[in-house]
Amino acid sequence: MNVLIVEDEKSLADEIASYLKKEGFLCDLAYTGADASEKIAVNLYDFVLLDLGLPDYNGLDLIREARKNNIDVSFIIITARGAVEDRVKGLDIGADDYLPKPFALAELHARIMAVARRKFQIGSPDIKLGEFVMDIRGRKLMYSDKEVEITKKEFDLLHYLAINHDKVLARHQLYEHIWGNALDDQYDSNFIDVHIKNLRKKLSAWAPAPWLETVRGVGYRISTDS
Ligand code: CA
């Protein structure tokens, strides 16, 4: 998962980043609100850990900005400001959770995973894809009560595309989400194509899957129209 850490206290930001990287997250850092605003507009993050007290910005404005621009990212507020109003305001305008400083890194991780479970609908009802059904709880792909054998990574790929249905996801976005680190060359980019190709082959043994679309030059999309 892709996380942006917005925190002007550099040592804390770095500490959080090195912890989350060890947990398999891909982390970006922003020490100012302006930098954060630009990064949120350009990159696709799953989470933003947001310190409200920034030198150049009221952190709450970053949430408002993202919501206004329809950017689908989860905010977890981390702040020393214990004021109840800030917390309420933050949750009111769409923050997903709130963690007062100081906090244990393990607790931060637990909060992220709790939000992720809601966001990625882990344990939620099944997702229908054409004639297939994703059993999210059982992490299985079904075709009329029979299990379609796909790998865990293929399931994750399909799941991530399904959650973001009707949006085109670039290869690097898929790669970063599933494998948790950045793409660095053409070889890695082909890697996603190979996974999609294998997946299509497995699906086509059961039924056509026109909903899994290749968007030339960009990436892949699950379309809910077909
Ligand atoms: Ca601060």
Side-chain angles (χ1 to χ4, degrees):
M1 279 186 278
N2 247 342
V3 182
L4 175 67
I5 300 160
V6 186
E7 168 64 72
D8 61 318
E9 214 178 296
K10 290 187 184 172
S11 59
L12 178 60
D14 295 346
E15 191 192 342
I16 294 172
S18 71
Y19 175 82
L20 291 180
K21 276 178 193 161
K22 267 187 231 138
E23 297 288 333
F25 290 81
L26 187 77
C27 298
D28 263 359
L29 292 169
Y31 301 129
T32 65
D35 187 24
S37 167
E38 202 181 308
K39 287 195 161 110
I40 292 168
V42 173
N43 303 315
L44 187 79
Y45 296 109
D46 297 308
F47 292 96
V48 175
L49 302 180
L50 178 63
D51 175 31
L52 291 185
L54 298 166
D56 61 333
Y57 239 84
N58 176 347
L60 293 174
D61 288 337
L62 284 170
I63 303 178
R64 290 194 187 96
E65 217 174 84
R67 294 298 172 241
K68 204 178 104 207
N69 297 323
N70 283 318
I71 295 171
D72 179 27
V73 59
S74 299
F75 285 92
I76 296 178
I77 295 174
I78 45 171
T79 183
R81 280 206 254 165
V84 178
E85 305 91 78
D86 271 344
R87 170 184 179 164
V88 170
K89 216 184 280 170
L91 296 173
D92 240 20
I93 61 173
D96 292 84
D97 205 354
Y98 175 93
L99 195 56
K101 284 185 206 168
F103 51 80
L105 290 170
E107 181 171 11
L108 174 64
H109 183 244
R111 295 290 186 101
I112 292 177
M113 294 318 286
V115 176
R117 272 194 291 278
R118 294 204 293 272
K119 183 180 165 94
F120 297 119
Q121 309 168 1
I122 297 163
S124 77
D126 302 341
I127 298 176
K128 216 173 157 294
L129 297 172
E131 297 171 62
F132 297 87
V133 174
M134 295 191 86
D135 168 3
I136 304 303
R137 201 174 304 237
R139 291 178 56 76
K140 283 186 293 198
L141 181 67
M142 308 298 291
Y143 178 84
S144 62
D145 297 333
K146 292 205 177 67
E147 184 178 354
V148 179
E149 288 203 14
I150 60 175
T151 66
K152 279 197 177 70
K153 292 294 186 194
E154 286 164 353
F155 185 91
D156 289 343
L157 257 178
L158 214 49
H159 190 202
Y160 195 52
L161 282 162
I163 291 161
N164 291 288
H165 61 86
D166 299 309
K167 269 190 248 169
V168 183
L169 297 182
R171 291 173 178 81
H172 74 90
Q173 289 171 335
L174 293 168
Y175 189 90
E176 285 168 12
H177 179 78
I178 313 286
W179 281 271
N181 45 45
L183 275 178
D184 44 47
D185 57 26
Q186 191 56 37
Y187 172 80
D188 285 341
S189 176
N190 293 338
F191 191 73
I192 291 291
D193 297 338
V194 171
H195 275 277
I196 295 280
K197 201 175 146 201
N198 288 342
L199 190 50
R200 280 209 174 106
K201 206 158 134 192
K202 290 175 185 176
L203 294 172
S204 70
W206 297 82
W211 39 267
L212 179 54
E213 299 176 347
T214 303
V215 181
R216 278 189 72 182
V218 189
Y220 296 95
R221 168 176 59 204
I222 281 183
S223 161
T224 47
D225 297 338
S226 42

